[in-house]
Coordinates of all heavy atoms in Angstrom, one line a residue:
P301 N -3.2 5.2 -27.9 CA -4.1 4.5 -27.0 C -4.7 5.3 -25.9 O -4.0 6.3 -25.5 CB -3.3 3.3 -26.4 CG -2.1 3.3 -27.2 CD -1.9 4.6 -27.9
Y302 N -5.8 5.0 -25.4 CA -6.4 5.6 -24.2 C -5.8 4.7 -23.0 O -5.6 3.5 -23.2 CB -7.9 5.6 -24.2 CG -8.5 6.9 -24.7 CD1 -7.9 7.5 -25.9 CD2 -9.5 7.5 -24.1 CE1 -8.4 8.7 -26.4 CE2 -10.1 8.7 -24.6 CZ -9.5 9.2 -25.7 OH -10.0 10.4 -26.2
V303 N -5.8 5.3 -21.8 CA -5.3 4.6 -20.7 C -6.3 4.6 -19.5 O -6.8 5.6 -19.1 CB -4.0 5.3 -20.2 CG1 -3.5 4.7 -18.8 CG2 -2.8 5.1 -21.2
V304 N -6.5 3.4 -19.0 CA -7.2 3.2 -17.8 C -6.2 2.8 -16.7 O -5.5 1.8 -16.9 CB -8.3 2.1 -17.9 CG1 -9.0 1.9 -16.6 CG2 -9.3 2.5 -19.0
E305 N -6.1 3.6 -15.7 CA -5.1 3.4 -14.6 C -5.7 2.8 -13.4 O -6.8 3.3 -12.9 CB -4.4 4.7 -14.3 CG -3.6 4.7 -13.1 CD -3.0 6.0 -12.7 OE1 -3.8 6.9 -12.3 OE2 -1.8 6.2 -12.9
T306 N -5.1 1.9 -12.7 CA -5.4 1.5 -11.4 C -4.2 1.8 -10.5 O -3.1 1.4 -10.8 CB -5.8 0.0 -11.2 OG1 -4.6 -0.8 -11.3 CG2 -6.8 -0.4 -12.2
S307 N -4.4 2.7 -9.5 CA -3.3 3.2 -8.7 C -3.6 3.0 -7.2 O -4.5 3.7 -6.7 CB -3.1 4.7 -9.1 OG -2.1 5.3 -8.3
A308 N -2.8 2.2 -6.6 CA -3.0 1.9 -5.2 C -1.7 2.2 -4.5 O -0.6 2.1 -5.0 CB -3.3 0.4 -5.0
G309 N -1.9 2.7 -3.2 CA -0.7 2.9 -2.4 C -0.4 1.6 -1.6 O -1.3 1.1 -1.0
A310 N 0.8 1.2 -1.7 CA 1.2 -0.1 -0.9 C 1.1 0.2 0.6 O 0.7 -0.6 1.4 CB 2.6 -0.6 -1.3
D311 N 1.5 1.4 1.0 CA 1.5 1.8 2.4 C 0.1 2.0 2.9 O -0.3 1.5 4.0 CB 2.4 3.0 2.6 CG 3.7 2.9 2.0 OD1 3.8 3.2 0.7 OD2 4.7 2.5 2.6
R312 N -0.7 2.7 2.1 CA -2.1 2.9 2.5 C -2.8 1.6 2.6 O -3.7 1.4 3.5 CB -2.8 3.9 1.6 CG -2.9 5.2 2.2 CD -3.7 6.1 1.4 NE -3.1 7.5 1.4 CZ -3.6 8.5 0.7 NH1 -4.7 8.3 0.0 NH2 -3.0 9.6 0.7
T313 N -2.6 0.7 1.6 CA -3.3 -0.6 1.7 C -2.8 -1.3 2.9 O -3.6 -2.0 3.5 CB -3.0 -1.4 0.4 OG1 -3.3 -0.5 -0.8 CG2 -3.8 -2.6 0.3
T314 N -1.6 -1.2 3.2 CA -1.1 -1.9 4.5 C -1.8 -1.3 5.7 O -2.2 -2.0 6.6 CB 0.5 -1.7 4.6 OG1 1.1 -2.2 3.4 CG2 1.0 -2.4 5.9
L315 N -2.0 0.0 5.7 CA -2.7 0.6 6.8 C -4.2 0.2 6.8 O -4.7 -0.1 7.9 CB -2.7 2.2 6.7 CG -3.3 2.9 7.8 CD1 -2.6 2.6 9.2 CD2 -3.3 4.5 7.6
V316 N -4.8 0.0 5.7 CA -6.2 -0.5 5.6 C -6.2 -1.9 6.3 O -7.0 -2.2 7.1 CB -6.7 -0.6 4.2 CG1 -8.0 -1.4 4.1 CG2 -6.9 0.8 3.6
V317 N -5.3 -2.7 5.9 CA -5.2 -4.1 6.3 C -5.0 -4.1 7.9 O -5.7 -4.9 8.6 CB -4.1 -4.9 5.6 CG1 -3.8 -6.2 6.3 CG2 -4.5 -5.1 4.1
L318 N -4.1 -3.3 8.3 CA -3.8 -3.2 9.8 C -5.1 -2.7 10.6 O -5.5 -3.3 11.6 CB -2.6 -2.3 10.1 CG -1.2 -2.9 9.8 CD1 -0.2 -1.8 10.0 CD2 -1.0 -4.0 10.8
C319 N -5.7 -1.6 10.1 CA -6.8 -1.1 10.8 C -8.0 -2.1 10.8 O -8.7 -2.2 11.8 CB -7.4 0.2 10.1 SG -6.3 1.6 10.3
D320 N -8.1 -2.8 9.7 CA -9.3 -3.7 9.6 C -9.0 -4.9 10.5 O -10.0 -5.6 11.0 CB -9.5 -4.1 8.2 CG -10.9 -4.5 7.9 OD1 -11.8 -3.6 8.1 OD2 -11.2 -5.7 7.7
A321 N -7.8 -5.3 10.7 CA -7.5 -6.5 11.5 C -7.4 -6.3 13.0 O -7.6 -7.2 13.7 CB -6.1 -7.0 11.0
Y322 N -7.3 -5.0 13.4 CA -7.1 -4.7 14.8 C -8.3 -4.9 15.6 O -9.4 -4.3 15.3 CB -6.6 -3.2 14.9 CG -6.3 -2.8 16.4 CD1 -5.0 -2.9 16.9 CD2 -7.3 -2.4 17.2 CE1 -4.8 -2.6 18.2 CE2 -7.1 -2.1 18.5 CZ -5.8 -2.1 19.0 OH -5.5 -1.8 20.3
R323 N -8.3 -5.8 16.6 CA -9.4 -6.0 17.5 C -9.0 -6.1 19.0 O -7.9 -6.6 19.2 CB -10.1 -7.4 17.2 CG -10.4 -7.6 15.8 CD -11.6 -6.8 15.2 NE -11.5 -6.8 13.8 CZ -12.0 -7.7 13.0 NH1 -12.6 -8.7 13.5 NH2 -11.9 -7.6 11.7
E324 N -9.9 -5.6 19.8 CA -9.7 -5.8 21.2 C -10.8 -6.7 21.7 O -11.9 -6.5 21.4 CB -9.7 -4.5 22.0 CG -8.5 -3.6 21.7 CD -8.6 -2.2 22.3 OE1 -9.6 -2.0 23.1 OE2 -7.8 -1.4 21.9
E325 N -10.4 -7.8 22.3 CA -11.5 -8.9 22.6 C -11.4 -9.3 24.1 O -10.3 -9.3 24.7 CB -11.2 -10.1 21.8 CG -11.5 -9.9 20.3 CD -11.4 -11.2 19.5 OE1 -10.8 -12.2 20.0 OE2 -11.9 -11.2 18.4
E326 N -12.5 -9.8 24.5 CA -12.6 -10.5 25.8 C -12.2 -11.9 25.6 O -12.5 -12.5 24.6 CB -14.0 -10.4 26.4 CG -14.2 -9.5 27.6 CD -15.6 -9.6 28.0 OE1 -16.0 -10.6 28.6 OE2 -16.3 -8.6 27.8
V327 N -11.5 -12.5 26.6 CA -11.1 -13.9 26.5 C -11.7 -14.6 27.6 O -11.8 -14.1 28.8 CB -9.6 -14.0 26.5 CG1 -9.2 -15.5 26.3 CG2 -8.9 -13.1 25.5
K328 N -12.2 -15.8 27.3 CA -12.8 -16.7 28.4 C -12.0 -18.0 28.5 O -11.2 -18.3 27.6 CB -14.3 -16.9 28.1 CG -15.1 -15.7 28.1 CD -16.6 -16.0 28.3 CE -17.4 -14.7 28.4 NZ -17.7 -14.2 27.0
G329 N -12.3 -18.7 29.6 CA -11.7 -20.1 29.7 C -10.3 -20.1 30.1 O -9.8 -19.2 30.7
D330 N -9.6 -21.2 29.7 CA -8.2 -21.4 30.1 C -7.3 -20.3 29.8 O -6.4 -19.9 30.6 CB -7.6 -22.7 29.4 CG -8.3 -23.9 30.0 OD1 -9.0 -23.8 31.0 OD2 -8.0 -25.0 29.4
E331 N -7.5 -19.7 28.6 CA -6.6 -18.7 28.1 C -6.7 -17.4 29.0 O -5.7 -16.7 29.1 CB -6.8 -18.4 26.6 CG -6.2 -19.4 25.7 CD -5.6 -18.8 24.5 OE1 -5.4 -17.6 24.4 OE2 -5.3 -19.6 23.6
A332 N -7.9 -17.2 29.5 CA -8.1 -16.0 30.3 C -7.2 -16.1 31.6 O -6.6 -15.2 32.0 CB -9.6 -15.8 30.7
S333 N -7.2 -17.4 32.2 CA -6.4 -17.5 33.4 C -4.9 -17.5 33.1 O -4.1 -17.0 33.9 CB -6.8 -18.8 34.2 OG -6.8 -19.9 33.3
E334 N -4.5 -17.9 31.9 CA -3.1 -17.9 31.6 C -2.6 -16.5 31.2 O -1.5 -16.1 31.5 CB -2.8 -18.9 30.5 CG -2.8 -20.3 30.9 CD -2.8 -21.3 29.7 OE1 -2.6 -20.8 28.6 OE2 -3.1 -22.5 29.9
G335 N -3.4 -15.8 30.4 CA -2.9 -14.6 29.8 C -3.7 -13.3 30.0 O -3.3 -12.3 29.5
G336 N -4.7 -13.4 30.9 CA -5.5 -12.2 31.2 C -6.8 -12.3 30.4 O -6.9 -13.0 29.3
D337 N -7.8 -11.5 30.8 CA -9.2 -11.7 30.2 C -9.5 -10.8 29.1 O -10.6 -10.7 28.6 CB -10.3 -11.7 31.3 CG -10.2 -10.4 32.1 OD1 -9.4 -9.5 31.8 OD2 -10.9 -10.4 33.2
T338 N -8.5 -10.0 28.6 CA -8.7 -9.2 27.4 C -7.4 -9.5 26.5 O -6.3 -9.8 27.0 CB -8.8 -7.7 27.6 OG1 -7.6 -7.3 28.3 CG2 -10.0 -7.3 28.4
R339 N -7.6 -9.3 25.2 CA -6.5 -9.4 24.3 C -6.6 -8.5 23.2 O -7.7 -8.1 22.8 CB -6.3 -10.9 23.8 CG -7.4 -11.3 22.9 CD -7.0 -12.6 22.1 NE -8.0 -12.9 21.1 CZ -7.8 -13.8 20.1 NH1 -6.6 -14.4 20.0 NH2 -8.8 -14.1 19.3
V340 N -5.4 -8.1 22.6 CA -5.4 -7.3 21.4 C -4.9 -8.3 20.3 O -4.0 -9.1 20.6 CB -4.4 -6.2 21.5 CG1 -4.2 -5.5 20.1 CG2 -4.9 -5.1 22.5
V341 N -5.7 -8.4 19.2 CA -5.3 -9.4 18.2 C -5.4 -8.7 16.8 O -6.3 -7.9 16.6 CB -6.2 -10.6 18.3 CG1 -7.7 -10.3 18.3 CG2 -5.9 -11.7 17.3
L342 N -4.5 -9.1 16.0 CA -4.6 -8.6 14.6 C -5.1 -9.8 13.8 O -4.4 -10.8 13.6 CB -3.2 -8.3 14.0 CG -2.6 -7.0 14.5 CD1 -1.3 -6.7 13.7 CD2 -3.5 -5.8 14.3
K343 N -6.4 -9.7 13.4 CA -7.0 -10.8 12.6 C -6.7 -10.7 11.1 O -7.5 -10.5 10.3 CB -8.5 -10.8 12.9 CG -8.8 -11.2 14.4 CD -10.2 -11.7 14.6 CE -10.3 -12.4 15.9 NZ -11.7 -12.7 16.3
L344 N -5.4 -10.8 10.9 CA -4.9 -10.7 9.5 C -5.3 -11.9 8.7 O -5.3 -13.0 9.3 CB -3.4 -10.5 9.4 CG -2.8 -9.3 10.1 CD1 -1.3 -9.5 10.2 CD2 -3.1 -8.1 9.2
K345 N -5.6 -11.8 7.4 CA -5.8 -13.0 6.6 C -4.5 -13.8 6.7 O -3.4 -13.2 6.5 CB -6.1 -12.5 5.2 CG -6.4 -13.6 4.3 CD -6.9 -13.1 2.9 CE -7.2 -14.3 2.1 NZ -8.3 -14.0 1.2
P346 N -4.6 -15.1 7.0 CA -3.4 -15.9 7.2 C -2.4 -15.7 6.1 O -1.2 -15.6 6.4 CB -3.9 -17.3 7.3 CG -5.3 -17.1 7.9 CD -5.8 -15.9 7.3
S347 N -2.8 -15.7 4.9 CA -1.8 -15.6 3.8 C -1.1 -14.2 3.8 O 0.0 -14.1 3.2 CB -2.5 -15.8 2.4 OG -3.6 -15.0 2.2
L348 N -1.6 -13.2 4.4 CA -1.0 -11.9 4.5 C -0.1 -11.8 5.8 O 0.8 -10.9 5.8 CB -2.0 -10.8 4.5 CG -2.8 -10.6 3.3 CD1 -3.8 -9.4 3.5 CD2 -2.0 -10.3 2.1
A349 N -0.3 -12.6 6.8 CA 0.3 -12.5 8.0 C 1.9 -12.5 7.9 O 2.3 -13.4 7.1 CB -0.1 -13.5 9.0
P350 N 2.6 -11.7 8.6 CA 4.1 -11.7 8.5 C 4.6 -13.1 8.9 O 5.5 -13.6 8.2 CB 4.5 -10.6 9.4 CG 3.3 -9.8 9.7 CD 2.1 -10.6 9.5
L351 N 4.2 -13.5 10.0 CA 4.6 -14.9 10.5 C 3.4 -15.8 10.4 O 2.3 -15.5 10.8 CB 5.0 -14.8 12.0 CG 6.2 -13.9 12.3 CD1 6.2 -13.5 13.8 CD2 7.5 -14.6 11.9
K352 N 3.7 -17.0 9.9 CA 2.6 -17.9 9.7 C 2.3 -18.8 10.9 O 1.2 -19.2 11.2 CB 2.9 -18.8 8.5 CG 3.2 -18.1 7.2 CD 2.1 -17.1 6.8 CE 2.4 -16.4 5.5 NZ 1.7 -15.2 5.3
A353 N 3.4 -19.0 11.6 CA 3.2 -19.8 12.9 C 4.3 -19.5 13.8 O 5.4 -19.0 13.4 CB 3.2 -21.3 12.5
A354 N 4.1 -19.7 15.1 CA 5.1 -19.6 16.1 C 5.2 -21.0 16.8 O 4.2 -21.6 17.0 CB 4.8 -18.5 17.1
V355 N 6.4 -21.3 17.1 CA 6.7 -22.6 17.7 C 7.1 -22.4 19.2 O 8.0 -21.6 19.5 CB 7.8 -23.4 17.0 CG1 8.1 -24.7 17.7 CG2 7.4 -23.6 15.5
F356 N 6.4 -23.1 20.1 CA 6.6 -22.9 21.5 C 6.9 -24.2 22.2 O 6.0 -25.1 22.2 CB 5.4 -22.3 22.2 CG 4.7 -21.2 21.5 CD1 3.4 -21.2 21.1 CD2 5.4 -20.0 21.4 CE1 2.8 -20.1 20.5 CE2 4.8 -18.9 20.8 CZ 3.5 -19.0 20.4
P357 N 8.1 -24.4 22.9 CA 8.2 -25.5 23.8 C 7.4 -25.1 25.1 O 7.6 -24.0 25.5 CB 9.7 -25.6 24.0 CG 10.2 -24.3 23.7 CD 9.3 -23.6 22.8

Side-chain angles (χ1 to χ4, degrees):
Y302 268 44
V303 170
V304 175
E305 166 186 71
T306 73
S307 175
D311 311 83
R312 255 189 223 178
T313 307
T314 302
L315 184 59
V316 168
V317 166
L318 281 172
C319 287
D320 207 62
Y322 183 93
R323 310 287 161 82
E324 291 173 10
E325 288 184 346
E326 249 181 74
V327 184
K328 298 201 177 77
D330 289 352
E331 283 218 12
S333 48
E334 283 167 12
D337 53 10
T338 57
R339 68 165 183 164
V340 171
V341 54
L342 286 186
K343 293 198 165 173
L344 296 170
K345 183 168 183 147
S347 55
L348 294 181
L351 295 162
K352 304 306 182 199
V355 178
F356 311 119

